[in-house]
Structures are given as C-alpha cells and as structure tokens.
C-alpha cells in the first residue's frame, strides 16, 4: 500500500467527518480495512493524518472521534507589539511569484517552471540512487561536495576566454539556493547601512534580501537592453558604492541580455571603482534565441561574484546553487555561510550532481529551449491578439517572463486583482521596483501550466484593461 492509499482513505474520511456531528465515533480500524481493502498500517496512517489536521481525536482503547469544538479564549498577542517595537525595515512579504495557485485556471504569476519543463525522469532516478548512497546518512563539507564544486567551476571555465584564469573547484561554494546567497553576499560584501547599486526593476527577492541585511539600495534604471551605463557611472561616483547586483543574462523581470560591449563597460566601471559585480545568473539554462554568457568568465581579479542556481532548471525541490568568488571575498562568504546554514544536505547535492552529469541533461536543456520558445511565442501572439493595450518592448531572448508596460494611469495591483477575480493570476510589477515604479507594469510567466490556454488568459487581461 502506498501513501497515496492513506491519502485517499483520509480524503474519504474527511468527507464523512464533514457530515458527522462533533464527537461521532469513526468506523473501527477493522471496518476501514475491509471497506477500503487497505492494510491496518495504511488506515492508521490516514487516521494520523486526520489527527495532525485536528479533525479527530483518539481515546486509546475506546476509539477515534470527530473533534469537539474547544472553548478556548482567543489568543492575546498584544504583548508582542511592545516586545518587538516598530520594525526598523519592512521586508516585503507574500510576493506574487511565491503564491500557490488555488482553483484559478490561469496561473501566469509564478516564478517556477511547470513540471513538464523539468527533467523529471532524471530527478526521480537520481533521488533513488541518492537514497542508497552514503550521502543519505552523512553531512557534507561546508563549501559543498568536491565533485559538485568541480562541476560548477568547469561550467564557468568552459566560457572563460584564454586570456583569463578559469575558476577552480576551490572558488565554488554550494548554497541552499541563490536566495540565501544574496543575503550572504550582501552582508559579507556590502554590510548594513552601506550602498548597493541595483538595476531598477530588479528581482523582488534581492530587494527583500537587501532589506533584511540593511544595505541601502541605489537604483539605476534598466530597460530591454540592460542598465543605463551613464546612470550607473553616476551612481558609483555619487555614492561610493563598492557593489552592483545585476542580471546580465535574461534579467528578471525584463528579460534583457546585455550586449558584449555593455558587459565590458560595466566590468571596466566596476574595476575602476574597486567594486564587486554580484552577477545572478538565475536563468542560465533558459536561453531561447541566445545563450547565457556569464560576465564572471571574463573576470580574473575577483571583481565578479557569480551565482548560478539549479533550482528552477533541475527541480524546485532540489534547492542547490553554486556561488563562485575569488580572494578574501570567497573566505568571508564561506564564513557567513557556515554561520548561517553550516552545509547543504548532501542528498540534494548528490541529486543535483547526478542530474547535471548525465547525458540526458544536455538533451533536456536543448529540448527546453524549444519548449520555452514555443510558449514565449504563443503568449506574445495571444497578447497581441487579445490584450494589445499592454506593451511588450520586445520578446525576451531568454528567461521565463514577459514584462509588460500597462497604459498610463492603470493601477497594476488593481489590474492583477481584477484578473484574479476572473481566474487569471498575474504578478503586479510594483514588487520589482526598489523605489516608486515609474509606470504600471505586470509580469507574465510563460513557463507555468496550461500554455494551450494562453489565448483565454490574454482575453481576460484584455477585457480587464478595456474596463
Ligand atoms: C533573479 C533571481 N535570483 C535568485 C532567485 C532565487 O533562486 P533560488 O531558487 O536558487 O533560491 C530567483 C528566483 O526566482 C530569481 O528570479
């Protein structure tokens, strides 16, 4: 009997409990075993599930009963107001990209690709192998499994020109996702109260990590071709910032990919100001019409701290990322990582390494390119046909999103809420701006479920905008 069977029995009992008055006795284990053709263990598992949900209570030797309502007084948390005081900084919470969808038929808000875009077979087989490996019972070194660190280093080394020194496994730290890496890097490289230059718009999670660490964000406008280089130069000169956080490949949310010339200009600026570029290569595997070319590959002197996530392309359940840094910066980040999370589960590292070193991985990434292209183009076409009021600067060369400018005067949050009432989830653009948004935007993710219904989804957006 599988856990699915206990889930099915629990579901049947939930319906039964819904109709029964409080204090009713549930059928005995033996009766449930007969009724569902399940083992006693499976039935017990279902009952445990219902107990943890607070739906039933068991009196040993007597039976299991539907729960009687407690006459508890409402909790009084008011003392916490005095204990906590007003927050020094408000970390944005509940971003649209992290919302689970409910019954809404159209979910274009999420930050994670649908299962059909993941290497499911490779991941499931890798978990099977990892369960039988020593990794299941040991801890990992703080910096990560040596083989996985070597893989991250060799991937970047392949993009490194002959004139630069390629990274080695020693330069790599394995992290439990890049989100942790952002807080750690901001803390170790910038520090509380000091300036960090960011593109505007930029990833909401980077804004949240910066708030958490207490760094002062310095926004620089960024469009479909990347950041405005003159504004960036002015920001470095004006603030004395020693770090710039950016997405040179397929920026989230705009989808911009920097030209090689812009990349050179930014690297020169960063070097001239004795600063770090914190390069978040979040969409490395999501090239559509181009390939991601990390700027870190062109840096030999430790100016670029490179973050490379596997979460979105391997599986959201395998939260593993690599951070590549050189010199004392690497040691500081490692010390912070040890203080924060000690090490990443070796099982997850093992699974990640297993997946990315199979021949099937390359085949998967090539197939993904075609699948993303078909989805991107389908959404672009649906948008043009049914919601032409929303302006797309150009189809992104990679990534998972379309970034749309709404007509002047539109309220992005209001539009998102109206779409949601009609069954369409989208992400209001305000969350990606470190300061006031210069105009209303929304982000549509084309890697979610039901791409065959993009036209229906865009009809909803079109009619909400027309209203
Ligand atoms: C730009 C960017 N950086 C980092 C992350 C976080 O990635 P991870 O899942 O590796 O923590 C995301 C996730 O949405 C992202 O979009």
């Amino acid at each position: 009997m599988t856990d699915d069977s206990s889930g099915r029995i629990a579901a049947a009992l939930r319906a039964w409990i819904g109709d029964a008055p409080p204090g009713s006795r549930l059928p005995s284990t033996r009766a449930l075993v007969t009724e569902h053709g399940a083992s006693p263990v499976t039935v017990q598992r279902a009952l445990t599930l219902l107990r943890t949900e607070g739906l039933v209570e068991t009196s040993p030797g007597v039976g299991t009963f539907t729960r009687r309502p407690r006459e508890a007084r409402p909790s009084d948390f008011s003392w916490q107001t005095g204990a906590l005081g007003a927050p020094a900084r408000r970390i944005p919470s509940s971003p649209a990209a992290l919302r689970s969808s409910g019954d809404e038929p159209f979910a274009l808000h999420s930050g994670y690709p649908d299962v059909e875009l993941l290497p499911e077979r490779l991941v499931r087989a890798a978990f099977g192998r990892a369960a039988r490996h020593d990794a299941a019972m040991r801890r990992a070194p703080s910096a990560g499994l040596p083989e996985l660190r070597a893989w991250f280093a060799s991937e970047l080394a392949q993009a490194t020109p002959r004139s630069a020194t390629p990274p080695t496994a020693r330069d790599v730290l394995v992290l439990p996702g890049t989100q942790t890496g952002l807080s750690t890097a901001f803390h170790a490289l910038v520090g509380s109260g000091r300036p960090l230059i960011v593109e505007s718009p930029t990833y909401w999670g980077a804004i949240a990590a910066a708030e958490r660490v207490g760094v002062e964000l310095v926004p620089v406008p960024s469009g479909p071709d990347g950041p405005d280089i003159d504004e960036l130069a002015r920001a470095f000169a004006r603030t004395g910032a020693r770090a710039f956080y950016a997405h040179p490949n397929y920026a989230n949310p705009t989808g911009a990919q920097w030209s090689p010339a812009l990349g050179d200009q930014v690297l020169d600026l960063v070097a001239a100001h004795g600063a770090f570029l914190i390069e978040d290569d979040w969409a490395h595997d999501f090239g559509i019409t181009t390939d991601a070319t990390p700027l870190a590959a062109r840096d030999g002197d430790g100016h670029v701290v490179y973050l490379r996530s596997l979460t979105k392309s391997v599986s959201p359940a395998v939260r593993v990322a690599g951070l590549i840094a050189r010199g004392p910066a690497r040691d500081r980040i490692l010390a912070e990582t040890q203080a924060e999370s000690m090490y990443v589960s070796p099982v997850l590292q093992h699974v990640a390494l297993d997946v990315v070193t199979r021949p099937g991985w390359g085949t998967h990434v090539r197939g993904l390119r075609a699948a993303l292209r078909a989805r991107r183009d389908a959404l672009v076409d649906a948008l043009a046909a049914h919601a032409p009021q929303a302006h797309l600067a150009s189809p992104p060369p990679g990534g998972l999103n379309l970034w749309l400018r709404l007509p002047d005067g539109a309220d992005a949050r209001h539009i998102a809420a109206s779409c949601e009432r009609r069954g369409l989830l989208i992400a209001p653009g305000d969350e990606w701006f470190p300061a006031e948004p210069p105009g209303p935007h929304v982000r549509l993710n084309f890697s979610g479920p039901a791409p065959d219904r993009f036209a229906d989804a865009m009809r909803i957006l079109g009619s909400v905008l027309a209203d």
Side-chain angles (χ1 to χ4, degrees), residues 178-409:
T178 38
Q179 185 63 33
T180 322
L182 295 179
S183 305
T184 311
F186 294 170
H187 195 245
L189 307 178
V190 183
S192 175
R194 312 242 302 261
L196 170 68
I197 303 178
V198 294
E199 294 173 275
S200 177
T202 191
Y203 169 47
W204 62 264
I207 300 173
E211 282 292 331
R212 181 173 164 235
V213 170
V215 305
E216 297 299 333
L217 288 179
V218 180
V220 164
S222 196
D225 299 321
D228 180 321
I229 193 73
D230 297 328
E231 284 285 349
L232 183 62
R234 271 194 287 276
F236 269 117
R238 178 170 53 82
T239 64
R242 292 299 186 101
F244 172 36
Y245 166 76
H247 310 161
N249 291 287
Y250 320 135
N252 177 2
T254 61
Q257 183 174 34
W258 301 0
S259 67
L262 178 61
D264 284 340
Q265 284 175 306
V266 172
L267 286 177
D268 288 347
L269 253 185
V270 159
H273 287 272
F276 291 101
L277 170 67
I278 303 172
E279 175 179 16
D280 185 349
D281 200 10
W282 73 282
H284 189 84
D285 301 311
F286 302 143
I288 297 178
T289 49
T290 61
D291 289 315
T293 46
L295 278 188
R298 288 192 256 155
D299 162 58
D301 297 324
H303 282 286
V304 183
V305 171
Y306 176 70
L307 288 151
R308 155 69 157 122
S309 179
L310 292 174
T311 327
K312 288 193 168 67
S313 49
V314 169
S315 161
V318 183
R319 277 183 72 73
V320 169
L323 180 149
I324 302 186
R326 303 194 219 191
R330 176 253 181 218
D331 301 338
R332 286 208 191 180
I333 295 172
L334 174 60
E336 296 249 359
T337 308
Q338 284 170 333
E340 186 163 294
S341 52
M342 293 205 279
Y343 61 89
V344 178
S345 157
V347 172
L348 297 185
Q349 296 192 55
H350 212 271
V351 169
L353 179 67
D354 187 328
V355 171
V356 297
T357 52
R358 301 256 151 205
W361 170 248
T363 318
H364 167 76
V365 174
R366 282 189 294 280
L368 186 57
R369 198 178 179 87
L372 288 177
R373 184 177 195 144
R375 281 162 167 265
R376 180 199 70 172
D377 293 349
L379 189 55
V380 169
D381 291 348
L383 185 72
H386 305 295
Q389 311 94 315
H391 174 71
L392 173 70
S394 54
L400 307 174
N401 308 299
L402 299 187
W403 177 244
L404 308 177
R405 170 68 155 89
L406 301 182
D408 284 339

Side-chain angles (χ1 to χ4, degrees), residues 23-85:
S24 307
R25 183 200 283 266
L26 265 68
S28 68
T29 303
R30 190 179 308 161
L32 291 170
V33 163
T34 314
E35 184 184 340
H36 293 281
S39 70
V41 172
T42 306
V43 167
Q44 282 307 332
R45 247 192 244 135
L47 292 175
T48 305
L49 205 61
L50 298 175
R51 256 196 308 278
T52 55
E53 288 170 12
L55 294 176
V56 299
E57 44 205 2
T58 299
S59 297
V62 184
T64 302
F65 300 86
T66 56
R67 187 158 188 164
R68 290 186 189 84
R70 294 227 170 111
E71 284 164 22
R73 63 167 179 79
S75 307
D76 178 7
F77 300 128
S78 59
W79 67 271
Q80 292 194 1
T81 309
L84 293 171

Side-chain angles (χ1 to χ4, degrees), residues 99 115 135 156 238 245 328 388:
R99 259 193 71 178
V115 179
L156 189 58
R238 178 170 53 82
Y245 166 76

